[in-house]
Amino acid sequence: MSKVPAADATLRVLSYLASQPRPTAASHISRALDIPRSSLYDLLQALVARGYVIHHMEDRAYGLGPSAHELSSGYNRHAPLARLGRRIVEALVDRVGESGHLSILRGQETVYLVEARAQNRTSLVTDVGVRLDALRTASGRAILAKLPNQQINALFRSGPERTRAAIAIRMTRELGYGWEDGLVSPDFCSAAVPVLDASKWPIAAIALTWKRGKASLDQRVLDDRVEELHEAAATLQRRLGILAPKIAHQPNEIIEQEGVTVLSPELAANIDDSSVRSHIITEA
């Protein structure tokens, strides 16, 4: 039991609204958080007065306000993700002996925040600040695979691009981690897992990259590295103060195959991503 119940209720309401895809009716908030409706209305009125919540009167619903955005902006100015992530990625690289990265998604691009090169390993193109096509990177795929399909459809609007995204994301969801082989640098492969916030939204990804060449992939080595990545991501979530949520986004549905992965041979031939091409189903 919290020693400051009003403060606890306030934070729970703000966290709940932040986890919702759209403004929410007070009755839904009351039921979800088990807060009496009379108490909830008093709390909401105070939050509206301070600008942390907006009352959408035409919809009879509540959503986050500009003051909540200012809190988010202040958090970002302190750059805790890169600051805390660097030590975690460096520790991961020391344990595994391969180069590692921390990155975020910006639109259709992967943006690298941290690069930690392993000893005696080749310099890679994924330096801090570099932007790459998200669908070609393991990190981008790991993040995209955790987004709702509506968000993916908003990011990838054109037919061929949306199809390429759908196939890559479906493959990533089936694997349970992001994977690319030779798409960023020849002879190199990467595996990545997402870092999730309290509402299960992907805020970043941690990746390992190593030289594979023409050697066959050792599945045991890959499984061990993916496990190390999951442990690193969980550590970063704890350092950021992200706890297991009671309320989260609806689980992502795998993009359905019908109308997405069935392509004409002509359209399939225009997709140059080898890891995606192997999962394309063409029309007979």
Side-chain angles (χ1 to χ4, degrees), residues 87-163:
R87 290 188 178 182
I88 293 170
V89 173
E90 288 174 347
L92 171 67
V93 168
D94 288 342
R95 290 196 306 272
V96 177
E98 302 292 354
S99 297
H101 319 276
L102 175 69
S103 58
I104 57 175
L105 185 71
R106 284 292 179 266
Q108 297 184 16
E109 295 180 320
T110 300
V111 182
Y112 291 88
L113 301 181
V114 173
E115 185 203 29
R117 192 190 313 171
Q119 189 173 9
N120 300 323
R121 290 295 185 264
T122 305
S123 177
L124 302 171
V125 300
T126 48
D127 204 353
V128 174
V130 168
R131 294 171 176 257
L132 295 174
D133 175 7
L135 290 175
R136 300 187 74 85
T137 69
S139 296
R141 293 180 176 201
I143 296 173
L144 287 167
K146 286 294 183 179
L147 292 177
N149 293 338
Q150 299 93 323
Q151 183 67 37
I152 293 167
N153 290 338
L155 286 171
F156 301 96
R157 295 178 177 274
S158 68
E161 193 68 12
R162 180 176 290 185
T163 299

Side-chain angles (χ1 to χ4, degrees), residues 244-262:
K246 293 183 178 178
I247 300 164
H249 292 288
Q250 294 297 315
N252 298 327
E253 298 177 357
I254 294 178
I255 296 177
E256 295 296 332
Q257 178 175 311
E258 288 74 20
V260 176
T261 59
V262 179

Side-chain angles (χ1 to χ4, degrees), residues 45-237:
Q45 287 177 8
L47 289 171
V48 169
R50 293 286 185 175
Y52 287 95
V53 168
I54 293 176
H55 184 201
H56 299 269
M57 288 184 286
E58 65 281 4
D59 297 323
R60 296 181 180 180
Y62 293 85
L64 291 181
S67 295
H69 176 72
E70 284 301 313
L71 283 179
S72 173
S73 299
Y75 176 83
N76 289 333
R77 283 195 294 272
H78 288 277
L81 189 59
R83 190 189 304 266
L84 295 174
R86 174 167 295 282
R87 290 188 178 182
I88 293 170
V89 173
E90 288 174 347
L92 171 67
V93 168
D94 288 342
R95 290 196 306 272
V96 177
E98 302 292 354
S99 297
H101 319 276
L102 175 69
S103 58
I104 57 175
L105 185 71
R106 284 292 179 266
Q108 297 184 16
E109 295 180 320
T110 300
V111 182
Y112 291 88
L113 301 181
V114 173
E115 185 203 29
R117 192 190 313 171
Q119 189 173 9
N120 300 323
R121 290 295 185 264
T122 305
S123 177
L124 302 171
V125 300
T126 48
D127 204 353
V128 174
V130 168
R131 294 171 176 257
L132 295 174
D133 175 7
L135 290 175
R136 300 187 74 85
T137 69
S139 296
R141 293 180 176 201
I143 296 173
L144 287 167
K146 286 294 183 179
L147 292 177
N149 293 338
Q150 299 93 323
Q151 183 67 37
I152 293 167
N153 290 338
L155 286 171
F156 301 96
R157 295 178 177 274
S158 68
E161 193 68 12
R162 180 176 290 185
T163 299
R164 176 172 167 252
I167 298 168
I169 291 166
R170 186 183 69 168
M171 180 178 67
T172 302
R173 288 172 176 172
E174 290 173 351
L175 286 173
Y177 56 87
W179 171 256
E180 67 83 15
D181 188 357
L183 297 179
V184 176
S185 299
D187 298 328
F188 284 84
C189 60
S190 299
V193 302
V195 178
L196 307 177
D197 69 9
S199 63
K200 297 296 185 182
W201 192 270
I203 57 175
I206 296 179
L208 285 168
T209 297
W210 64 95
K211 188 169 185 177
R212 178 182 170 188
K214 297 182 180 179
S216 60
L217 184 66
D218 188 327
Q219 188 63 45
R220 186 176 61 180
V221 170
L222 176 58
D223 290 343
D224 288 345
R225 289 177 180 174
V226 170
E227 182 62 28
E228 288 277 4
L229 286 166
H230 279 299
E231 291 181 10
T235 299
L236 180 53
Q237 288 171 192

